[in-house]
Amino acid sequence: MDSLACSASDLVPLLSSSANATALASFLCTRFSTISNQLSDATYAIDNTYLLFSAYLVFALQLVFAMLCAGSVRAKNTMNIMLTNVLDATAGALSYYLFGFAFAFGAPSNGFIERHFFGLKAYPSPAGDYSFFLYQWAFAIAAAGITSGSIAERTQFVG
């Protein structure tokens, strides 16, 4: 979003009919700056709300994938599928926190893997904050949940 600037010296010629043109121009610029800052804050809040809501919806897909997989296996394997989905979410969260986000969004070091933000070190940054991380993490574990459904009834947990 482009930043709008107000200068009292630009407004004075427009207000030359007034006796206190300089004071009025300064007042108008002060009010304009206040409103501009409030709009900027509101835009940031609305953007983050939308991003978090989207992340929660994508995360809710974990439940959808769990129910889909549980409905497509025999009753004796239902608990195994549920545990697989929970472990996908937790292992995906840990690995994405430690490595995935850094590989995807760290500062460029070569054409393949980035090199900053391992374990979210030096994050949040001007480029993004935790809501962006949560949104990307939700998609990463959704991808893991989709692929884990392909091994339904083909693997068992030992124990």
Side-chain angles (χ1 to χ4, degrees):
M1 182 176 177
D2 292 335
S3 176
L4 300 175
C6 180
S7 173
S9 60
D10 293 338
L11 290 178
V12 170
L14 300 173
L15 303 170
S16 61
S17 63
S18 174
N20 295 326
T22 305
L24 181 59
S26 295
F27 174 75
L28 288 175
C29 283
T30 302
R31 297 298 294 166
F32 178 76
S33 296
T34 303
I35 292 170
S36 177
N37 290 338
Q38 288 174 349
L39 285 175
S40 176
D41 292 344
T43 301
Y44 180 76
I46 291 168
D47 287 348
N48 272 340
T49 301
Y50 180 76
L51 199 59
L52 288 172
F53 182 70
S54 300
Y56 300 148
L57 287 178
V58 173
F59 183 71
L61 284 174
Q62 288 297 109
L63 178 62
V64 172
F65 298 143
M67 295 297 117
L68 176 67
C69 290
S72 65
V73 298
R74 292 176 288 181
K76 70 176 191 165
N77 291 326
T78 302
M79 194 57 103
N80 190 32
I81 286 297
M82 293 299 180
L83 184 59
T84 301
N85 282 312
V86 169
L87 289 177
D88 281 345
T90 54
L94 185 62
S95 61
Y96 193 75
Y97 167 77
L98 291 175
F99 307 109
F101 190 77
F103 286 170
F105 297 104
S109 58
N110 62 36
F112 179 62
I113 293 178
E114 312 301 339
R115 63 185 165 116
H116 295 301
F117 304 140
F118 284 97
L120 293 185
K121 185 177 180 183
Y123 196 78
S125 69
D129 58 4
Y130 293 117
S131 59
F132 180 72
F133 167 78
L134 183 67
Y135 182 72
Q136 298 299 327
W137 165 76
F139 272 103
I141 64 166
I146 291 169
T147 57
S148 72
S150 65
I151 61 168
E153 291 192 336
R154 293 178 177 87
T155 60
Q156 293 290 326
F157 285 104
V158 178

